[in-house]
Amino acid sequence: MNRFLSHATNRIDAKGRVSVPSAFRAVLTEAGAKELYCFQDFVFPAISVGGPELLDRFERQMASEDPFSDAANQMSLLVHGGGVFVKLDPEGRLMVTDFIRDFTGISTDVAFVGRGDHFQLWEPQAFARAQAEAREGRKQRGLRPQ
Amino acid sequence: MNRFLSHATNRIDAKGRVSVPSAFRAVLTEAGAKELYCFQDFVFPAISVGGPELLDRFERQMASEDPFSDAANQMSLLVHGGGVFVKLDPEGRLMVTDFIRDFTGISTDVAFVGRGDHFQLWEPQAFARAQAEAREGRKQRGLRPQ
DNA sequence: GCTTCTCCCATTGACGCCCATATGGTCCCA
DNA sequence: TGGGACCATATGGGCGTCAATGGGAGAAGC
C-alpha cells in the first residue's frame, strides 16, 4: 500500500492532538516524509496534507490553467502563501491548530480522508455530507461504473 | 467458477463478524485477493466488495477524464476517500463496521449478493424488496427474459 | 515566571489469530 | 433404501498484540 486510501475518524485529546491513522503513517514513512505540508482545499472545507512532493502535484495543476487566470492566481495564493508545515510527534499525532479548526469547522473529532497522493482533514459531518452530495451527482448523471 | 454468483445470508456473531460464503471466498482466493476493497453503491443501500482490481477500474475511469476537473475531484472523494479496506480472518470472516451498518441498515444478518466481478452486502429485507421491485419493473416494461 | 510545545510512559479497548463446537449435507455401505 | 460415518462450512469464544488515547514532566519560547 503506497497511497492514501480509505478514511478514519479519530478524537482530539485535551491537548489538541489527534492520531494520524496507522495506515496513513505507513505511507508517509515509506515515502520518507518526516515533515508534512498542509493547505486549504480549493473547493471543500478541508485541509490537504502530504509530503513535500504534494507541492509538485498542485504546481502541475496550476500549470494546467491559464497562468494569468484568476484561478491560477488564487491557487498560488493558497498553495504557496497559505500553506503550513506540521510535524508528527513520536506517537504519530499532529496538533490541530486554529488554522485547521477555523477552515474546516473541526472541534472534537477529525475525519482523515485518503485522496490517493495526499490525504485530507475534515469535520466528520461535513465529510459525510460532501460524500452524499457527490454520490447524488454521480447518480443523476448516470455514471455508474458498473 | 470465477465470478460472484447467487446469494446467501449469514449471521453476525457477538464480536461483529460474519462469514463470507464459501463460494465467494473461492473466487477471491482464485483471484489471489488477500485484501478487499469496499465502497458504498451509488444507487442501492448496499456495500460493494471486491479485490484491488475493483479499485483499478475506478481509477482507469478517473484517468480518462481531466485529472483536475470537478468530476474527477468528486470521484476521488468517493473512491479514494469513501472506500474502506477490509480483510478476512483465517476462517474467512469480515468485521461488520459502522461504516457498513449505517449505510445498509444491517444489524444482525448480512445478505451476500453476487454481482459478477464483485459482490455486495445487503440488509436481507432490503435485498428482498429491491429484488421484488426490479422484477416488477421488468414486468411492466415487458422486458422479462422468459 | 508562566505558557506552550515536545517527548516519554501508562492504559485500554479493538482487532487479528488461534482453537473448539455445531450443523447440515454427502457419500458409502449394509 | 435407510443408516451412519465423514467432511465442509458456519459459528462461538479465548487470548495476545498493537493502535489510539490520556496524562506527566522536562525543555524551549514569550
Side-chain angles (χ1 to χ4, degrees):
Chain A
M1 174 81 66
N2 52 356
R3 290 176 308 158
F4 299 100
L5 297 172
S6 185
H7 62 97
T9 298
N10 288 337
R11 179 182 311 273
I12 301 177
D13 69 15
K15 293 179 166 181
R17 302 170 299 186
V18 67
S19 293
V20 175
S22 168
F24 288 5
R25 292 203 307 263
V27 177
L28 289 172
T29 55
E30 187 175 336
K34 56 194 187 317
E35 197 161 43
L36 303 181
Y37 195 63
C38 312
F39 51 85
Q40 301 166 345
D41 188 82
F42 304 142
V43 283
F44 298 115
I47 299 291
S48 294
V49 186
E53 78 289 350
L54 185 56
L55 279 174
D56 299 341
R57 179 200 191 279
F58 286 95
E59 291 187 332
R60 276 199 305 277
Q61 179 167 357
M62 279 185 269
S64 75
E65 302 269 342
D66 171 5
F68 300 112
S69 68
D70 283 352
N73 198 9
Q74 286 168 5
M75 277 189 218
S76 169
L77 195 64
L78 290 175
V79 172
H80 294 134
V84 162
F85 284 98
V86 165
K87 66 174 190 284
L88 303 185
D89 71 10
E91 285 78 32
R93 292 181 281 198
L94 57 84
M95 286 291 303
V96 182
T97 60
D98 284 343
F99 171 77
I100 295 173
R101 293 178 191 264
D102 293 345
F103 188 71
T104 58
I106 287 170
S107 60
T108 63
D109 293 81
V110 180
F112 292 82
V113 179
R115 296 298 298 260
D117 56 358
H118 65 287
F119 64 92
Q120 294 186 319
L121 311 182
W122 285 71
E123 197 284 317
Q125 303 278 335
F127 173 54
R129 278 196 302 275
Q131 236 186 340
E133 283 169 19
R135 196 159 40 239
E136 194 60 32
R138 281 276 139 180
K139 194 197 290 186
Q140 285 177 4
R141 280 178 289 160
L143 286 174
R144 244 180 121 209
Q146 283 88 338
Chain B
M1 175 81 69
N2 54 355
R3 291 180 305 160
F4 299 101
L5 299 172
S6 186
H7 62 96
T9 298
N10 287 337
R11 178 182 312 273
I12 300 177
D13 69 15
K15 294 169 93 172
R17 302 170 300 186
V18 66
S19 293
V20 174
S22 167
F24 288 4
R25 291 204 307 263
V27 177
L28 289 172
T29 55
E30 186 175 336
K34 56 194 186 318
E35 198 160 42
L36 303 181
Y37 192 66
C38 311
F39 58 90
Q40 299 164 341
D41 188 84
F42 294 156
V43 177
F44 297 113
I47 299 291
S48 294
V49 185
E53 78 287 351
L54 193 56
L55 182 59
D56 294 342
R57 191 173 52 193
F58 282 114
E59 296 203 311
R60 276 197 301 277
Q61 182 174 344
M62 275 189 275
S64 71
E65 302 179 12
D66 171 10
F68 300 124
S69 68
D70 282 352
N73 195 13
Q74 279 196 346
M75 196 73 183
S76 161
L77 189 71
L78 289 175
V79 174
H80 291 141
V84 160
F85 280 98
V86 164
K87 63 176 191 286
L88 303 185
D89 70 12
E91 286 77 33
R93 291 178 286 197
L94 58 84
M95 285 291 304
V96 183
T97 60
D98 283 344
F99 170 77
I100 296 174
R101 294 178 190 264
D102 293 344
F103 190 72
T104 59
I106 287 170
S107 60
T108 63
D109 293 81
V110 180
F112 291 83
V113 180
R115 298 295 297 259
D117 59 353
H118 65 285
F119 65 92
Q120 294 185 320
L121 311 181
W122 285 72
E123 196 283 318
Q125 304 274 337
F127 173 56
R129 278 196 303 276
Q131 243 187 342
E133 282 170 20
R135 204 158 36 232
E136 194 59 31
R138 291 199 81 78
K139 199 190 292 181
Q140 282 177 5
R141 281 177 291 160
L143 289 172
R144 282 179 82 194
Q146 286 87 337

